[in-house]
Amino acid sequence: MFNHGLSAAGMFFLVGVIYERTHTRNLKDFGGLFPLVPVYGGVLIFTSMASLGLPGLNGFVSEFLVVQGSWPVFTLFTALAMIGLFFTGAYILKGIKQVLHGPLNEHWAGHITEINGRELFVIVPLMVLMLWIGIWPSWILALSTTLWR
C-alpha cells in the first residue's frame, strides 16, 4: 500500500502539473510534448515505470511479493489477476505515448512551460523513495513487519 501510495501520488501530481499548464485532461489534445518538456517527460516516464513494476523500482517489489505470497494458495486467481498487470501496462504506456511521443501538437509550441523548481521539490523526494525501495526494500519491510506484530 505504501508503494502504491508513492506511485499514485506521483502520477496524480504529474497530471496536475500538466493540467495547470494546459487546462485539459483529454489525452488526444496532447501529443509529442517530450521535446518541449523533457524534464517533465523524464519524471513522468520514471514515475510510470515505478507504477508498472519495473525491476529496480518500488512497484516491482510490491508486485513480486504479492504474487509470491498468493501463488501457492490462490494459483488460478493470481494468474487471472496477473492479466490485470498486462492491461495496466498497456494503458500507462498508451498514456505516455499520447502525451509525450508522436507528432508534436503545434498548439502547445511556445505555450507550455517546463516543470519548475517548486514542482520538482515535491516530486523528487517521491522519486528518491521509489528508487530507494526498489533497490533496498528490506528497510521498509522490516519496518512494516515491526509495526504489524
Side-chain angles (χ1 to χ4, degrees):
M1 292 308 295
F2 184 81
N3 284 336
H4 175 72
L6 282 177
S7 299
M11 297 288 280
F12 278 111
F13 176 74
L14 292 170
V15 168
V17 167
I18 200 75
Y19 178 79
E20 189 246 330
R21 286 159 172 73
T22 62
H23 301 291
T24 184
R25 290 185 196 99
N26 187 353
L27 293 179
K28 294 180 182 187
D29 292 342
F30 298 110
L33 295 183
F34 199 79
L36 299 177
V37 287
V39 176
Y40 174 84
V43 170
L44 178 63
I45 290 171
F46 180 92
T47 306
S48 298
M49 294 301 111
S51 182
L52 285 175
L54 185 74
L57 298 174
N58 66 328
F60 178 78
V61 174
S62 299
E63 290 178 10
F64 179 79
L65 290 175
V66 167
V67 170
Q68 182 186 32
S70 62
W71 186 265
V73 181
F74 301 109
T75 306
L76 176 63
F77 293 123
T78 304
L80 291 172
M82 289 176 71
I83 295 170
L85 296 176
F86 172 77
F87 288 112
T88 300
Y91 79 73
I92 288 178
L93 291 173
K94 182 179 179 184
I96 289 172
K97 178 184 174 276
Q98 288 184 328
V99 173
L100 298 176
H101 302 295
L104 173 65
N105 182 343
E106 296 296 330
H107 174 74
W108 304 118
H111 298 290
I112 192 168
T113 58
E114 183 61 274
I115 192 169
N116 62 39
R118 178 179 54 94
E119 294 160 339
L120 285 172
F121 183 76
V122 172
I123 194 70
V124 166
L126 296 176
M127 293 171 65
V128 168
L129 273 172
M130 289 175 203
L131 183 61
W132 187 17
I133 293 170
I135 293 172
W136 187 49
S138 62
W139 70 272
I140 196 160
L141 292 172
L143 179 65
S144 67
T145 303
T146 304
L147 291 174
W148 293 104
R149 280 193 175 167

